[in-house]
Amino acid sequence: MRIACDPRRFSNGISRFLQLPNGLDGDEHARFRALVDRYFTPAAMAEFAPACRAVARALVDRLPRDRPFDAVGDLGAPFAVRAQAAWLGWPVELERPLLDWLAARQEATRTGDREQLAAVAESFDAIVRSVVAPRRGGDGTRDVTDRLVNDVSLGRGLEEDEIVSILRNWTGGDLGSLALAVGVVVHALATRRGLAELLRDESSVERFDRAIEECLRLEDPFVASRRRVLEETEVAGCPVAAGRAISLDWAAANRDPDVFSPPDAFEPEANAAANLVYGIGPHVCPGRPLARLELRELVHALLAAAPEIALAGDPTRELPPLGGFRAVPVRFAFSRE
Ligand code: HEM
């Protein structure tokens, strides 16, 4: 938390690629961050909610009732892609290329293969440029992508590379984390006694979100972020030299035994204030309202589909630098067995 909240000593300028707003510091970050935040206001989320609900219901309706399915591959990944495409106004034909891109990106992240990562980034940029081009010169009202392409809130229009970078971070940040988050939440629904009852109670959205985020704290899908040390300093007794690249391990911080006591206990109310699933400081996740909305709608659709969700085999864990599960076999259960 000290590092994330001290941008003067710990810079986000760590990648040689343009990353908006992630890779910026200081005033420049604040300007781009203000632009980005306008897309995640309560009003913007309320406008998207019906479409998000429709995506969640349609996908859950198509899940098999008589055999197991994988909560990540059959549900999390397609839901993340479809919900995001619906939010951005992207055509359904892009679903397959986006799913292929997501799978290739997760694989390249797992192996850390730089060449593969660069190839995957290029294939994604081609997808993004195909949605940007037809919106050039629009009036910004067609959809969220049109609004961004024609955004002049910085006092000027955005360059092509800036638009692509922002969209890359909205999708790159979202699709992988959200697909994994769905796996974590469904796994918790299948294994954690009393969670389904808690989530069926629709009287408090805040309590619902806290329960979901406590599941994510325990199995953090967003494992780490990077920073560059600008000034020699010390963190928790550990000396850090200027110029070093360091990693903020959110998953470990989310299980800090000095803060969460004991770290493995499921305590949504007690742990909410210290939960770091969406980060902290100036780079705290701007997409949190959208991620919350999407998870809420999907969980409601799942809970409406059957009285219970049961594990149908052993889940396979993801490996760092990814978190959560690679696969979670589950099935709908219509009567207690
Ligand atoms: C369950 C889903 C998600 C999780 C767990 C998550 C987690 C995080 C975390 C921990 C950070 C802080 C990174 C840092 O300090 O360096 C972050 C930043 C960010 N997230 Fe998310 N996120 C999620 C969904 C989304 C969504 C839906 C979007 C947008 C559509 C998004 C876009 C971003 C962006 C652009 C940043 C960088 C913000 C900045 O540098 O100012 N994320 N996210």
Side-chain angles (χ1 to χ4, degrees), residues 4 12 19-24 29-30 32-33 36-37 40 84 87-88 165-182 212 216 220-227 248 250 254 276-292 294-295:
N12 267 48
Q19 292 195 332
L20 298 179
N22 316 35
L24 303 177
H29 172 255
F32 273 93
R33 185 55 201 249
V36 164
D37 281 340
F40 300 97
Q84 197 70 354
W87 177 58
L88 291 167
S165 177
I166 292 173
L167 286 172
R168 193 191 303 119
N169 282 317
W170 284 356
T171 33
D174 177 39
L175 296 180
S177 313
L178 209 86
L180 292 168
V182 170
I212 296 286
L216 300 179
D220 203 332
F222 193 112
V223 174
S225 299
R226 294 192 302 158
R227 298 288 190 269
L248 297 187
W250 301 114
N254 263 328
L276 292 176
V277 161
Y278 291 105
I280 193 166
H283 294 273
V284 66
C285 182
R288 179 173 42 188
L290 182 62
R292 280 183 171 162
E294 292 180 354
L295 289 171

